Amino acid sequence: MDIKLVPTICPYCGCGCGLNYVVKDEKIVGVEPWKRHPLNEGKLCPKGNFSHEFIHRDDRLTTPLIKKDGKFVPATWDEAISLIASKFTEMKAKYGPETMACFASARSTNEENFVMQKFARVAIGTPNIDHCARLCHGTSVAGLAKTLGSGAMTNTITDIKDSKLVFIIGSNTLEDHPLVGRSVIRAKESGAKIIVCDPRFNMTAKQADIYVPFKSGTDVALFNAMMYTILSEGLENKEFIKNRTKGFDALKEEVMKCPPEWAEPITGVPADTIRKIARMYATSGASSILFAMGITQHATGTDNVVSVSNLALICGMIGRPGVGINPLRGQNNVQGACDMGCLPNVVSGYQAVINDELRKKYAGLWNVADLPNKVGLTIVETMNAADEGKVKGLYIMGENPMVSDPNVNHVKHALEKLEFLVVQDIFLTETAELASVVLPAAAGPEKQGTYTSTERRVQLLRPAVKPPGQAKADWEIICSIAKKMGVKGFDFNSAKEIFQEVAKVTPQYAGMSYERLEKPEALHWPCPAADHAGTPILHVPKFSHPDGLGILFGVPFKPPAEVPDAEYPLVLTTGRLLYHYHTGSMSRRSHTLDAEVPTGFLEINPEDAAKLGVKDGAKVKVKTRRGEIEINAKVTPNIIKNHVFVPFHFWECSANKLTIDALDPFAKMPELKVCSCKVEVVPVEKKPAGAAPAAPIKAAVKARGY
Ligand SMILES: Nc1nc2c(c(=O)[nH]1)N[C@H]1C(S)=C(S)[C@@H](COP(=O)(O)OP(=O)(O)OC[C@H]3O[C@@H](n4cnc5c(=O)[nH]c(N)nc54)[C@H](O)[C@@H]3O)O[C@H]1N2
Ligand SMILES: Nc1nc2c(c(=O)[nH]1)N[C@H]1C(S)=C(S)[C@@H](COP(=O)(O)OP(=O)(O)OC[C@H]3O[C@@H](n4cnc5c(=O)[nH]c(N)nc54)[C@H](O)[C@@H]3O)O[C@H]1N2
Ligand code: SF4
Ligand SMILES: [Mo]
């Protein structure tokens, strides 16, 4: 029997696990452990284990589609590329390049993202390039750039197991970064204490020594009160503060206004618990912080991240093994898409576009007069501009904003107003359905390239099978459009050639090459030279600011953009489940994952449920000022009172019909973790005798092709 094993990287989350695809007759038939992979040592979570199931689905996109009279018609590559190139060229001339925008993809490779931002800046000449990091760790990048000078995980995943205390806030690590969760459990087995702060008693909280339930949107109050305790009891690291930081007086002034008794009614956490966790964090000897969307997805997300950094800096918990500030990056290549410059304010390597000298260097290398010399629009700003008719053309690679963006009723309106929308995906998603042209892309297991995982580890992909039908790697498609537009600099023959250009212009990747990544060596950026071994731990002797110091800021607590009132009395928070991934385009097409959780639900506390007359399993209507959905209730003590939770994976009960698009002023992050809602019981309809039963949600889902 002709079976081969192809070692590559899981296409789902940012942990970056290695796995082996079992290939028989040009099909992936299973997944086998890659035991010597340095991170996961053969272990995988359910998504990784079943990550081949969506690959050979017969509803994969296999040919370009052009919309004619409201219907998609299959087209040849030549027709589709010619149409896009001429339309982009025409619109650029008619309306100006700034009426166009591109969304890159945290699912695609570094090489593809690099080419996408080059396409936006060079071929179209627009500063408007962004991607889903905006809805994810945009505030981590902004907050940590302010405090440490660099916005990535400071330590590695395996390093966490050497911590004496792991402080987890706003991260459901065991469900959403299961292989980081493995390091947390290893730390615990070696005697470390685990503290989890979260409004939900989630799978991670269940592993904690101390679980601290608290109200969504009150993180800054909790941090300030913890720091009040630390400073008033003299538990801070005075040496570290003196030698390695500045801004302590401003921080102290703010924090000393925030005793735990002040924070208790705001956060719902007893003052004694705040004191206890503060003392534990400050005195363990080696405390690491893990955080994710519970911290970042707020209109005060940058403030939250600065608060995390303040706590670590005053305790000297940074720059050595077992400590650190670890924003767990979500998508398989979101770290890489940011590194590659798919952000409206920086080119690759976080180099600011408004820097004249830098632009001159890039323009010289890329043979253009200049790059757009202003900061472009972010995702939500692009949607708003489309709605106002200011953005007329949009090229989306590997994103599904019709399910993932806040306030999707508004997003739909905005996308429908566009004159020309190109969507490049592996499936006909809810967003692709609105496109003028749909382009079929190859998926991760079908291509070559690199992903950069949450721990800044750059890893090589190996194609296990060929893409279906005429689907092509994203970089090939983008380059064909650019070449058809007559733009130079897109004559790449392979992902490897693109990576060579990446290394040339990106200081953190300068010492990397496919030859080095082939080994597999663990190359964590920064890796500035060919003989440099990479940098597993950041900020060891100094921080990334020019003076080498970390900066402390006083951060006053601000309530969320929308707080409960008489009309909308409950707090709605949204997030993820172990078995599903984002908009479900892949995980809902995996029969094993789909069988575990076929549709969404609303978590509600038993006391709130009793007050509203909501029974477990009953259908309820959830309403906010933006929209409403019907969904089944799950009555559970695992969520605190006055809060409800909806996972955002399911379009038929879409959390984002409800969420608010209020933005963080620094990072333009929408407040996906808090808004106000009301919940009503949906009366059970009395059916006339003999009427057909109402179609269950499952049938509707099947009809949709999942
Ligand atoms: N299974 C699975 N894994 C994934 C993904 C997926 O879709 N499915 N997506 C990947 C991506 S892109 C990302 S970004 C990560 C995200 O990973 P996580 O951040 O772990 O995911 P979430 O479920 O969005 O939110 C985490 C926790 O924040 C809590 N929370 C809600 N409000 C607040 C608050 O105000 N403060 C605090 N401190 N906590 C709050 C929620 O109760 C939840 O338990 O997961 C990655 N991994
Ligand atoms: N309410 C609420 N909303 C949220 C969040 C939340 O916590 N709550 N979290 C936010 C976060 S953190 C994130 S990261 C976003 C995610 O938002 P999105 O990025 O929009 O979600 P995905 O489902 O990951 O979409 C990726 C798309 O890429 C396609 N794809 C996969 N591989 C490839 C490839 O190789 N090439 C191409 N061209 N396409 C590919 C998939 O089929 C899918 O349609 O959602 C955000 N939205
Ligand atoms: S932890 Fe993430 S990278 Fe690892 S197998 Fe699961 S989804 Fe894939
Ligand atoms: Mo994310």
Side-chain angles (χ1 to χ4, degrees):
M1 212 178 347
D2 190 16
I3 284 188
K4 62 176 179 177
L5 292 184
V6 182
T8 188
I9 305 301
C10 174
Y12 278 110
C13 93
C15 289
C17 297
L19 45 71
N20 273 307
Y21 283 124
V22 186
V23 179
K24 189 181 166 225
D25 300 334
E26 293 298 313
K27 291 249 181 315
I28 306 180
V29 293
V31 172
E32 283 293 319
W34 175 355
K35 291 211 169 107
R36 277 183 298 174
H37 187 276
L39 170 75
N40 58 310
E41 299 169 316
K43 304 280 188 293
L44 295 168
C45 83
K47 290 182 299 304
N49 262 320
F50 302 106
S51 59
H52 59 297
E53 288 184 349
F54 69 86
I55 290 292
H56 303 297
R57 287 274 311 214
D58 54 15
D59 55 353
R60 277 287 300 274
L61 288 169
T62 52
T63 112
L65 303 171
I66 296 176
K67 200 176 265 167
K68 289 183 183 150
D69 303 324
K71 285 215 168 69
F72 283 121
V73 180
T76 64
W77 273 113
D78 205 34
E79 284 164 340
I81 300 288
S82 301
L83 172 66
I84 296 168
S86 65
K87 194 72 192 163
F88 279 172
T89 308
E90 175 203 313
M91 290 178 76
K92 193 174 135 177
K94 189 163 157 199
Y95 307 119
E98 286 183 29
T99 61
M100 324 269 282
C102 299
F103 291 170
S105 177
R107 316 308 302 275
S108 301
T109 63
N110 285 322
E111 293 75 3
E112 292 162 338
N113 280 290
F114 183 81
V115 169
M116 187 52 144
Q117 59 91 37
K118 184 172 176 181
F119 180 84
R121 294 183 164 121
V122 173
I124 297 190
T126 179
N128 305 328
I129 166 88
D130 203 12
H131 74 287
C132 71
R134 184 69 44 209
L135 316 175
C136 185
H137 274 291
T139 44
S140 303
V141 174
L144 296 180
K146 266 174 91 169
T147 61
L148 312 180
S150 160
M153 256 178 93
T154 63
N155 288 48
T156 64
I157 296 173
T158 32
D159 179 75
I160 296 164
K161 71 178 187 334
D162 298 325
S163 303
K164 301 271 178 287
L165 181 137
V166 187
F167 185 83
I168 303 178
I169 182 158
S171 157
N172 186 359
T173 319
L174 266 74
E175 288 199 53
D176 301 330
H177 292 92
L179 264 291
V180 175
R182 182 167 174 251
S183 280
V184 174
I185 299 298
R186 285 181 155 188
K188 187 177 155 128
E189 283 166 359
S190 313
K193 292 280 178 256
I194 313 296
I195 298 174
V196 173
C197 305
D198 200 293
R200 294 166 56 231
F201 187 53
N202 57 26
M203 204 186 271
T204 313
K206 286 172 190 156
Q207 298 297 325
D209 295 284
I210 301 186
Y211 165 55
V212 183
F214 76 114
K215 296 182 197 167
S216 197
T218 64
D219 300 74
V220 168
L222 181 67
F223 279 109
N224 279 352
M226 284 177 71
M227 288 188 275
Y228 175 98
T229 304
I230 290 166
L231 295 184
S232 27
E233 298 183 5
L235 302 177
E236 73 275 23
N237 186 332
K238 297 183 184 67
E239 245 346 62
F240 193 92
I241 295 172
K242 183 163 150 262
N243 297 332
R244 299 219 34 201
T245 71
K246 62 186 182 189
F248 180 67
D249 292 342
L251 168 81
K252 186 168 180 188
E253 196 190 328
E254 185 56 45
V255 159
M256 295 321 280
K257 295 180 205 156
C258 308
E261 279 70 16
W262 162 84
E264 180 171 325
I266 298 174
T267 58
V269 184
D272 279 343
T273 306
I274 299 179
R275 277 189 279 270
K276 183 172 169 188
I277 59 174
R279 289 175 193 136
M280 285 173 72
Y281 176 84
T283 61
S284 78
S287 299
S288 61
I289 302 182
L290 312 187
F291 72 92
M293 299 303 100
I295 285 288
T296 61
Q297 289 175 332
H298 294 274
T300 57
T302 303
D303 283 354
N304 291 351
V305 172
V306 170
S307 298
V308 171
S309 175
N310 282 339
L311 175 67
L313 285 172
I314 66 164
C315 296
M317 295 294 182
I318 191 152
R320 57 193 161 93
V323 300
I325 299 176
N326 294 309
L328 304 178
R329 305 299 302 251
Q331 299 252 40
N332 54 327
N333 196 35
V334 65
Q335 182 66 57
C338 291
D339 299 347
M340 294 303 109
C342 293
L343 297 168
N345 58 335
V346 288
V347 283
S348 71
Y350 306 94
Q351 308 177 88
V353 287
I354 48 170
N355 178 327
D356 289 341
E357 218 145 276
L358 180 100
R359 268 200 337 278
K360 218 183 280 165
K361 183 181 113 186
Y362 264 86
L365 274 166
W366 288 348
N367 277 320
V368 282
D370 197 358
L371 301 185
N373 69 352
K374 65 190 255 198
V375 173
L377 299 175
T378 60
I379 286 190
V380 177
E381 288 173 330
T382 302
M383 293 302 176
N384 293 341
D387 198 23
E388 291 162 17
K390 291 182 187 151
V391 162
K392 296 179 189 299
L394 180 58
Y395 180 5
I396 302 181
M397 161 172 87
E399 297 223 327
N400 190 7
M402 274 295 293
V403 183
S404 59
D405 276 15
N407 195 0
V408 286
N409 287 334
H410 173 244
V411 169
K412 182 159 190 273
H413 196 246
L415 292 178
E416 282 171 350
K417 275 188 87 170
L418 291 168
E419 185 175 315
F420 195 60
L421 171 64
V422 178
V423 174
Q424 184 166 308
D425 206 293
I426 60 174
F427 291 109
L428 190 69
T429 60
E430 294 73 9
T431 307
E433 276 171 9
L434 302 180
S436 323
V437 183
V438 176
L439 301 174
E446 297 156 353
K447 58 192 173 187
Q448 208 170 36
T450 55
Y451 291 157
T452 304
S453 77
T454 180
E455 54 173 357
R456 295 172 282 106
R457 181 199 291 268
V458 182
Q459 310 195 91
L460 207 55
L461 300 183
R462 295 170 189 83
V465 284
K466 290 198 186 74
Q470 301 173 41
K472 289 186 190 181
D474 290 300
W475 68 265
E476 289 182 78
I477 305 173
I478 304 165
C479 290
S480 319
I481 302 173
K483 283 191 273 188
K484 195 83 185 177
M485 288 169 76
V487 184
K488 293 208 175 64
F490 291 86
D491 292 312
F492 299 108
N493 292 306
S494 64
K496 185 175 174 177
E497 277 184 29
I498 303 171
F499 195 80
Q500 286 161 353
E501 184 167 317
V502 169
K504 201 149 93 187
V505 297
T506 314
Q508 294 87 334
Y509 286 66
M512 296 188 193
S513 62
Y514 273 25
E515 286 71 25
R516 290 192 73 186
L517 296 172
E518 189 61 62
K519 301 233 169 108
E521 246 177 278
L523 280 181
H524 301 266
W525 67 250
C527 174
D531 57 356
H532 191 283
T535 314
I537 302 183
L538 294 180
H539 313 302
V540 176
K542 62 186 182 68
F543 293 101
S544 310
H545 289 303
D547 62 5
L549 296 177
I551 310 181
L552 296 160
F553 293 89
V555 181
F557 167 69
K558 290 189 209 94
E562 201 176 48
V563 288
D565 55 20
E567 199 185 352
Y568 295 98
L570 296 169
V571 173
L572 168 72
T573 189
T574 64
R576 298 163 165 76
L577 306 173
L578 173 65
Y579 292 100
H580 280 293
Y581 200 81
H582 294 163
T583 66
S585 61
M586 287 150 58
S587 59
R588 298 191 78 187
R589 286 185 170 88
S590 160
H591 54 269
T592 311
L593 300 176
D594 173 64
E596 291 288 341
V597 189
T599 189
F601 50 82
L602 170 101
E603 281 186 2
I604 183 165
N605 182 282
E607 277 187 44
D608 293 322
K611 255 191 267 168
L612 295 165
V614 172
K615 298 244 162 36
D616 190 38
K619 183 168 280 182
V620 293
K621 191 172 268 184
V622 191
K623 285 188 186 167
T624 68
R625 292 186 174 86
R626 273 78 45 200
E628 59 179 63
I629 59 168
E630 284 192 358
I631 190 166
N632 293 332
K634 181 171 176 180
V635 179
T636 165
N638 291 348
I639 181 155
I640 60 167
K641 272 190 289 180
N642 300 322
H643 287 56
V644 292
F645 168 80
V646 177
F648 81 103
H649 309 297
F650 307 95
W651 60 269
E652 69 279 16
C653 42
S654 166
N656 282 327
K657 282 195 177 149
L658 306 171
T659 47
I660 189 167
D661 43 8
L663 298 183
D664 175 275
F666 305 99
K668 310 289 160 124
M669 161 75 77
E671 190 145 64
L672 295 163
K673 284 288 179 276
V674 205
C675 70
S676 303
C677 73
K678 63 174 152 192
V679 173
E680 293 165 0
V681 180
V682 176
V684 183
E685 273 174 49
K686 284 223 175 69
K687 289 178 203 81
I697 289 175
K698 183 86 187 170
V701 171
K702 285 281 171 262
R704 178 68 184 69
Y706 285 99

